């Protein structure tokens, strides 16, 4: 096998993947105002089914978890039915697709949420220096969230589990639990955003309870071979940054995930976005404690992906924005073809522009 062929080699595990290329989860804001997936989303994901695994944009398990304008949900029958068109398109093109379950927690604005929804978080602390886009109003200040009660916490755990079951009902191949990027589950895990003095705050064991209970119950509901998790150690998104004991805390968390036999661990490095890098000692330590598939994401191109796969730093590599602009990214890699550049102005706008109009390669005669 040549060094470049490693990208296209199959992974045989509890789920088999046809290559080691992952389409990373990326918010695109193409759902309806009621957070229902649209037909253009089926076309978008279907075009990218040459990846070994596609992971959807963050999808809310409940009205309280919506946060952003026009992101999809998976909490009602209309949403489940609409997602079936997406999974059908991907499967028809020979792909596999996981749904990323994302509750935004305090990173939200009421004008993006249903009327009966509320912004919730571990503690009543709003993220600093963070604003939220609202259609027709622009970027607005994020209000202070409601501190969650014990019953609120139990409710959100059940919402994640139900979302996973809904995803399987919509014919997804599995789900990714989003524990990264400063959203609700990381808000519980990070001591800067979690100031609780009850059983969900303080020690790492307490701060881990919500995400671990979600993982445990999700495994029981749909099977460990259908569950992955995403983490961003040392990250700095949405006013959640590093802390002194983070290495030991993440080691504890990942060891607990490993005991549940989760399918994969997806580690995100924010360095390419100008934030803190994922320290090498944390990466190697976490991966050594996890027996499943290890996915790395963050600023990769073809050459750096091949290098890290060859050096066994990862089993799969996730690509984000290269997949936005290149629906045929896998084939472009194989042909060493030039890549389309991302149009930054249309990343989150509604409609087909900047979504379905990126050109594919000309067929080779």
């Amino acid at each position: 096998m040549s060094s470049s062929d490693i990208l296209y080699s199959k992974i045989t595990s509890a789920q088999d993947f046809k290559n080691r290329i992952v389409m990373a989860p990326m918010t695109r804001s193409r759902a309806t105002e009621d957070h229902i997936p649209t037909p253009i989303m089926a076309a978008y994901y279907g075009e990218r089914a040459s990846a070994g695994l596609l992971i959807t944009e963050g999808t809310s398990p409940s009205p309280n978890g919506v946060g952003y304008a026009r992101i999809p949900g998976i909490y009602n029958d209309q949403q489940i039915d609409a997602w079936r068109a997406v999974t059908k398109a991907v499967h028809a093109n020979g792909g596999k697709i996981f749904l990323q379950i994302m509750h935004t927690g305090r990173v939200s604005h009421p004008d993006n949420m249903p009327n009966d929804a509320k912004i919730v978080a571990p503690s009543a602390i709003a993220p600093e220096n963070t604003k939220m886009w609202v259609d027709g109003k622009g970027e607005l200040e994020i209000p202070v969230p409601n501190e969650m009660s014990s019953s609120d916490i139990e409710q959100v755990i059940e919402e994640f589990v139900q979302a996973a079951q809904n995803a399987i009902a919509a014919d997804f191949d599995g789900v990714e639990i989003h524990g990264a990027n400063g959203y609700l589950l990381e808000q519980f895990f990070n001591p800067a955003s979690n100031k609780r003095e009850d059983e969900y705050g303080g020690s790492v064991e307490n701060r881990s309870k919500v995400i671990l209970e979600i993982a445990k119950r999700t495994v029981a509901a749909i099977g460990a071979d259908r569950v992955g998790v995403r983490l961003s150690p040392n990250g700095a998104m949405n006013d959640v940054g590093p802390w002194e004991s983070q290495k030991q805390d993440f080691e504890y968390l990942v060891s607990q995930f490993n005991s549940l036999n989760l399918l994969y661990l997806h580690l995100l490095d924010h360095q390419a976005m100008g934030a803190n890098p994922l320290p090498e000692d944390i990466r190697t330590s976490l991966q050594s404690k996890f027996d499943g598939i290890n996915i790395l994401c963050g600023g990769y191109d073809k050459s750096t992906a091949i290098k890290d796969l060859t050096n066994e730093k990862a089993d799969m590599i996730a690509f984000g924005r290269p997949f936005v602009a290149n629906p045929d990214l896998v084939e472009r890699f194989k042909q060493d073809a030039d890549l389309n550049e991302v149009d930054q102005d249309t990343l989150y706008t509604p409609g087909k522009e900047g979504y379905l109009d990126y050109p594919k390669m000309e067929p080779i005669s």
Side-chain angles (χ1 to χ4, degrees):
M1 179 188 299
S2 68
S3 60
S4 61
D5 286 343
I6 196 169
L7 264 178
Y8 319 114
S9 61
K10 184 177 179 179
I11 287 189
T12 301
S13 67
Q15 288 212 37
D16 295 340
F17 300 109
K18 62 187 176 183
N19 58 52
R20 296 172 185 268
I21 298 170
V22 178
M23 177 177 163
M26 293 171 289
T27 297
R28 299 305 313 278
S29 297
R30 259 65 177 196
T32 70
E33 292 181 358
D34 294 326
H35 309 287
I36 299 169
T38 53
I40 63 172
M41 291 170 61
Y44 172 79
Y45 284 107
E47 285 184 332
R48 290 156 175 81
S50 56
L53 172 63
L54 292 88
I55 307 173
T56 72
E57 60 217 272
T59 302
S60 180
S62 69
N64 289 349
V66 166
Y68 295 102
R70 290 172 278 105
I71 68 168
I74 189 76
Y75 51 83
N76 64 39
D77 290 340
Q78 283 182 288
Q79 294 164 343
I80 295 169
D81 288 342
W83 274 120
R84 286 196 185 101
V86 175
T87 57
K88 182 178 180 180
V90 171
H91 292 152
N93 289 333
K96 285 196 172 187
I97 183 167
F98 275 40
L99 180 89
Q100 187 191 67
I101 306 175
M102 176 184 78
H103 192 303
T104 58
R106 67 180 188 169
V107 185
S108 186
H109 195 281
D111 289 358
N112 286 335
M113 306 168 75
N115 291 332
D116 57 348
K118 63 180 181 179
I119 302 175
V120 297
S123 301
I125 305 171
E128 294 183 0
N129 304 314
T130 305
K131 292 187 176 182
M132 178 61 65
W133 174 267
V134 173
D135 287 339
K137 298 182 180 180
E139 291 191 338
L140 302 181
E141 295 289 338
I142 291 179
V144 175
N146 296 281
E147 182 169 313
M148 298 172 72
S149 66
S150 295
S151 61
D152 290 333
I153 292 171
E154 177 61 25
Q155 177 182 326
V156 85
I157 292 170
E158 285 301 314
E159 287 170 351
F160 267 83
V161 177
Q162 186 62 58
Q165 294 173 310
N166 292 347
I168 299 306
D171 298 324
F172 280 94
D173 297 290
V175 301
E176 177 176 279
I177 298 169
H178 195 352
N181 292 2
Y183 297 122
L184 182 67
L185 302 188
E186 190 172 33
Q187 290 163 28
F188 270 98
F189 189 61
N190 193 300
S193 51
N194 182 351
K195 299 299 185 182
R196 302 178 71 95
E197 297 181 354
D198 62 2
E199 61 180 309
Y200 298 103
S203 69
V204 63
E205 292 83 4
N206 286 357
R207 288 182 280 112
S208 301
K209 278 185 177 180
V210 173
I211 190 170
L212 289 177
E213 189 64 22
I214 286 170
K216 179 181 178 180
R217 295 192 203 179
T218 302
V219 165
I222 67 172
D225 59 339
R226 289 174 162 176
V227 183
V229 65
R230 194 183 213 207
L231 303 175
S232 53
N234 209 52
M237 283 190 68
N238 294 314
D239 194 34
V240 172
W243 66 99
E244 185 176 352
S245 63
Q246 64 173 357
K247 182 174 182 290
Q248 296 91 330
D249 290 358
F250 275 105
E251 288 172 345
Y252 169 80
L253 184 60
V254 170
S255 67
Q256 297 301 305
F257 287 141
N258 193 56
S259 69
L260 296 173
N261 297 313
L262 299 190
L263 179 68
Y264 69 74
L265 173 66
H266 185 179
L267 296 180
L268 175 59
D269 188 340
H270 285 151
Q271 185 174 17
M273 301 172 66
N276 302 311
L278 172 62
E280 190 71 5
D281 63 329
I282 292 182
R283 179 194 66 78
T284 57
S285 177
L286 298 187
Q287 290 180 333
S288 71
K289 297 182 182 304
F290 189 76
D291 297 326
I293 295 169
N294 279 297
I295 302 174
L296 290 182
C297 181
Y300 277 99
D301 58 20
K302 178 183 176 180
S303 62
T304 54
I306 290 171
K307 179 180 178 182
D308 278 3
L309 289 172
T310 302
N311 292 334
E312 299 183 345
K313 287 188 174 182
D315 300 304
M316 303 180 80
I317 299 293
F319 299 87
R321 295 195 177 189
F323 259 120
V324 169
N326 300 276
D328 54 353
L329 182 66
V330 176
E331 187 60 29
R332 286 176 184 265
F333 280 167
K334 288 180 178 178
Q335 302 296 332
D336 284 322
D338 293 336
L339 301 185
N340 301 320
E341 294 294 324
V342 172
D343 178 4
Q344 303 287 342
D345 294 334
T346 57
L347 278 174
Y348 310 112
T349 54
K352 296 180 180 179
E353 185 181 1
Y355 195 66
L356 296 183
D357 54 0
Y358 285 105
K360 296 182 181 179
M361 292 172 56
E362 293 293 329
I364 299 175
S365 57

